[in-house]
């Protein structure tokens, strides 16, 4: 098996998964909303239950044991909502927990790494790919492993960009401070002559215009959030789990839960999602 594999049960009908059930999406905080946004765009008929672990963010500086424990708790919570599939919309959790929790699950669980890696390998012309992400994601080497399994001659250069997350969460998407930090982070990558860059953290697509300006049009930017939404769409269709858009909706189409700071989350979510987020519920994730 590769470093990241999706878990797909052999007989979904046998275990009684409801095709009209929602898709669960979780992240260490608000960054995974970029994944939720792409899922909304690519599969507008699907219902979504989103959980952001805002009380325990960031995951990027935590151990694998801790990230696995957090992921198991969140999956148990999402299962109480009757989800039919789960997307780990966090690069760090995808790198450290997906392979473990997928084996424990009887519903499909996918992460964001595999889809992003596949898109980068397809896009590169010179075989030199850059990956930016949290310290944990870059340290894990998961993107390098997955991409080199696909194409052994690929040369991958990883660069941790720890300040991008707080800058995004403070809304400083177009700010001189962000420009300065981006320039510092990207200079070593430009020196490696990369022609493709994987935005290996769900916050980073919100800095796309800054990254594009600094790297130029000759570097292809890969957004794993978009690629993951496409993968989810194909997975649901292949297994007859895609929701029938003609069936009536029961309850809210999109539900949002966090472990802390619900009001702040609601404001941020409304700023980047297609529709206004009316309510975010705070839960005690440690109970799961």
């Amino acid at each position: 098996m590769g470093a990241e594999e999706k878990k797909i049960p052999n007989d979904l009908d046998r275990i009684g998964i409801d095709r009209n059930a929602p898709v669960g999406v979780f992240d260490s905080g608000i960054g995974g909303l970029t994944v939720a946004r792409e899922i909304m765009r690519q599969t507008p008929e699907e219902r979504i239950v989103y959980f952001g672990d805002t009380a325990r963010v960031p995951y990027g500086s935590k151990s694998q044991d801790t990230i696995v424990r957090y992921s198991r708790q969140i999956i148990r919570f999402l299962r109480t909502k009757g989800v039919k599939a789960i997307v780990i919309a966090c690069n760090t959790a995808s790198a450290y927990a997906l392979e473990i929790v997928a084996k424990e699950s009887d519903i499909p669980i996918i992460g964001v790494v595999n889809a992003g890696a596949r898109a980068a390998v397809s896009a590169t012309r010179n075989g030199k790919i850059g990956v930016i992400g949290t310290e944990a994601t870059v340290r894990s080497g998961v993107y390098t492993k997955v991409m080199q399994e696909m194409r052994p001659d690929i040369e991958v250069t990883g660069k941790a960009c720890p300040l991008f997350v707080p800058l995004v969460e403070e809304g400083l998407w177009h700010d001189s401070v962000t420009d300065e930090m981006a320039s510092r982070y990207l200079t070593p990558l430009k020196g490696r002559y990369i022609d493709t860059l994987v935005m290996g953290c769900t916050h980073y697509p919100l800095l796309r215009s800054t990254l594009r300006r600094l790297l130029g049009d000759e570097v292809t930017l890969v957004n794993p959030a978009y690629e993951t939404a496409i993968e989810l769409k194909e997975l649901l269709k292949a297994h007859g789990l895609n929701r029938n858009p003609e069936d009536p909706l029961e309850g809210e189409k999109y539900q949002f839960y966090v472990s802390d700071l619900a009001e702040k989350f609601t404001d941020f979510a409304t700023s980047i999602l297609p529709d206004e987020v009316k309510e975010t519920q705070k839960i005690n994730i440690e109970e799961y």
Side-chain angles (χ1 to χ4, degrees), residues 50 252 254-258 262-263 265-266 269-270 276-282:
Y50 182 99
E252 290 292 329
Y254 303 132
Q255 300 175 51
F256 300 91
Y257 298 87
V258 293
E263 186 175 340
F265 177 93
T266 300
T270 296
E276 179 185 1
V277 177
K278 298 177 182 178
E279 180 186 17
T280 302
Q281 296 184 49
K282 178 183 173 182

Side-chain angles (χ1 to χ4, degrees), residues 12-58:
L12 296 175
D13 290 333
R14 179 178 57 78
I15 59 177
I17 301 178
D18 179 6
R19 67 181 298 178
N20 290 324
V23 173
V25 180
F26 79 85
D27 181 58
S28 58
I30 62 176
L33 288 168
T34 60
V35 179
R37 178 174 64 179
E38 295 297 339
I39 294 172
M40 292 173 183
R41 289 171 174 170
Q42 299 303 320
T43 54
E45 71 280 3
E46 295 295 343
R47 299 164 58 208
I48 296 173
V49 178
Y50 182 99
F51 177 79
D53 199 1
T54 47
R56 304 185 297 196
V57 70

Side-chain angles (χ1 to χ4, degrees), residues 3-222:
E4 178 185 333
E5 297 286 349
K6 48 183 177 287
K7 167 73 172 178
I8 304 176
N10 294 324
D11 188 353
L12 296 175
D13 290 333
R14 179 178 57 78
I15 59 177
I17 301 178
D18 179 6
R19 67 181 298 178
N20 290 324
V23 173
V25 180
F26 79 85
D27 181 58
S28 58
I30 62 176
L33 288 168
T34 60
V35 179
R37 178 174 64 179
E38 295 297 339
I39 294 172
M40 292 173 183
R41 289 171 174 170
Q42 299 303 320
T43 54
E45 71 280 3
E46 295 295 343
R47 299 164 58 208
I48 296 173
V49 178
Y50 182 99
F51 177 79
D53 199 1
T54 47
R56 304 185 297 196
V57 70
Y59 282 11
S61 58
K62 294 180 172 62
S63 69
Q64 180 175 14
D65 286 347
T66 296
I67 293 167
V68 170
R69 178 169 64 85
Y70 289 176
S71 298
R72 283 173 172 153
Q73 289 176 324
I74 296 166
I75 289 168
R76 284 194 288 268
F77 164 70
L78 290 174
R79 294 302 298 265
T80 69
K81 301 301 176 183
V83 297
K84 63 185 176 185
I86 293 175
V87 177
I88 302 180
C90 171
N91 282 266
T92 302
S94 293
Y96 283 114
L98 175 62
E99 192 167 3
I100 295 171
V101 298
K103 292 176 181 177
E104 302 169 349
S105 176
D106 60 353
I107 63 172
I109 300 181
I110 64 172
V112 290
V113 171
N114 205 48
R118 186 167 53 247
V121 169
S122 176
T124 186
R125 302 175 303 280
N126 67 3
K128 299 179 186 297
I129 299 173
V131 177
I132 54 176
T134 65
E135 293 177 5
T137 297
V138 172
R139 185 172 63 246
S140 76
V142 65
Y143 273 102
T144 301
K145 184 174 182 180
V146 173
M147 287 191 278
Q148 289 182 344
E149 286 177 352
M150 297 174 182
R151 182 177 153 186
D153 66 324
I154 289 287
E155 180 183 312
V156 183
T157 303
K159 178 63 179 175
C161 305
L163 290 180
F164 276 172
V165 169
L167 288 169
V168 167
E169 294 195 356
E170 287 298 320
L172 302 176
W173 308 349
H174 308 286
D175 188 272
S176 59
V177 174
T178 305
D179 290 347
E180 170 64 22
M181 291 314 306
S183 179
R184 291 191 186 192
Y185 287 148
L186 296 178
T187 295
L189 295 175
K190 293 170 72 173
R192 300 299 292 270
Y193 301 103
I194 63 167
D195 73 349
T196 304
L197 180 71
V198 178
M199 295 181 284
C201 174
T202 50
H203 286 72
Y204 297 0
L206 298 172
L207 300 176
R208 187 185 187 98
S209 61
T210 298
L211 301 176
R212 164 65 59 227
R213 186 174 68 254
L214 291 171
L215 290 172
D217 292 336
E218 65 274 13
V219 176
T220 300
L221 297 181
V222 173

